[in-house]
Amino acid sequence: MDYWLRIRKLPLALLLLTGCAGGEPSNPFSTSASASNTFGPGDSGTDTSGGDSGQGTIDPDTGVMTGNNDGTSGTGPDPTGDSGPDPDTGDSTGPGCVPSEETCDGTDEDCDGVEDNGNPGGGMACDTGMDGECSAGQTACLAGAVSCEPINVASVEVCDNLDNDCNGVVDDGDPGGGAPCDTGMLGVCSAGVNECQGGAIICEPNTLPSAEVCNNIDDNCDGIPDDGNPGGGGACLTGMPGICDPGTNACVGGAIVCQQNVPAAAAETCGNGLDDDCNGMADDGCGGGNCPFSLCDSPGIPQVAGCDPCVDQVCTVDPFCCSNQWDSLCVGQVETVCMRADCVGAGCAHLVCDQGVALVVGCDPCVDLVCAADPFCCSNSWDGLCVGGVPTQCMLNCPAAP
């Protein structure tokens, strides 16, 4: 049967040539006008091999067979309703399949033997319903159905202002952050740590600018430690004697220091009652050398104002001393007004401001105070240490040595 099917589909002319070439003794088929143009030996119209109910016919004008041996025209569907392969040849592209546009349904509409080829329904932009980078998709025909497949798959999160891992959070976990860095700022603001912000790695300072404090650190990040004298400006006492005692607080080297307002003078200014050279004695060295007599004497005449700073102080309190006479009250005021020990110890072996033999306890209140602190002064000799004890124990100043 297969042999005859193949033969009968050949053009008539080719068959005639073949017959002649093979030396056929006679033409196996009729060409008369009354003939039926049937191929091969006449049969009853019944396919004895496969049950076909018809046979192919040849166009008498063109010699081309226009039918199949199964009774179909060869140009349309099988009249039995079979849309599958040709029952004679098994060819799915044969006359038993009518080609149409391929759709995504798991079948072969275009009769090329491949189901859903060409990705029918695919290639269109779509939304996968996923988060982040996985949301943008493209349609694809898979397993007979169109689905939305993500263009990008989930990946490790990087700092790019995108949701790379498709969890719905952009740049979560601070990708690329955490490493120490230099902000490029000054002072305490220079040290920082990397952070992912707005899709970029930013070096954020560990410490923000703040008001300056006195610590030798640039707290306000302007490049100058302790600028503005933080903590300074208040009044204070240096603890130094004389005019060097009053001071003002200042931030120096990261610490508050009381700095004297006036430096020590090279020499005393006589008559101002101040310790200008900051040695612990006011107007020392003036000594009354310009006065007509010693401040400890009382000759019955007045002292001359301006001859000694103490004279000016006493005469301010008691003008009598400079207008009538420098009496014993004026001498006593050298101690009480000027706080000088020039005349202290007049009832003792010598004045307390002079070195010499040991003084006797009870000869003067100042002697008692000094010997209580240093018994040597009343048992051995009244030396320089004893004279030095007068300012500390008696709170009186001795005149400077000439």
Side-chain angles (χ1 to χ4, degrees), residues 10 73 83 124 147 158 177 181 183 193 212 274 292 313 317 341 345 396 402:
L10 295 174
S73 66
S83 62
M124 303 295 291
S147 63
V158 295
C181 58
T183 65
V193 62
E212 282 289 328
L274 300 177
Q313 291 177 279
V317 175
L396 300 173

Side-chain angles (χ1 to χ4, degrees), residues 47 179 198 205 401:
D47 188 344

Side-chain angles (χ1 to χ4, degrees), residues 121-130 132-141 146-152:
M124 303 295 291
C126 60
D127 190 335
T128 65
M130 301 172 68
E133 289 295 275
C134 302
S135 64
Q138 194 174 61
T139 58
C141 179
V146 175
S147 63
C148 186
E149 296 297 312
I151 297 174
N152 299 312

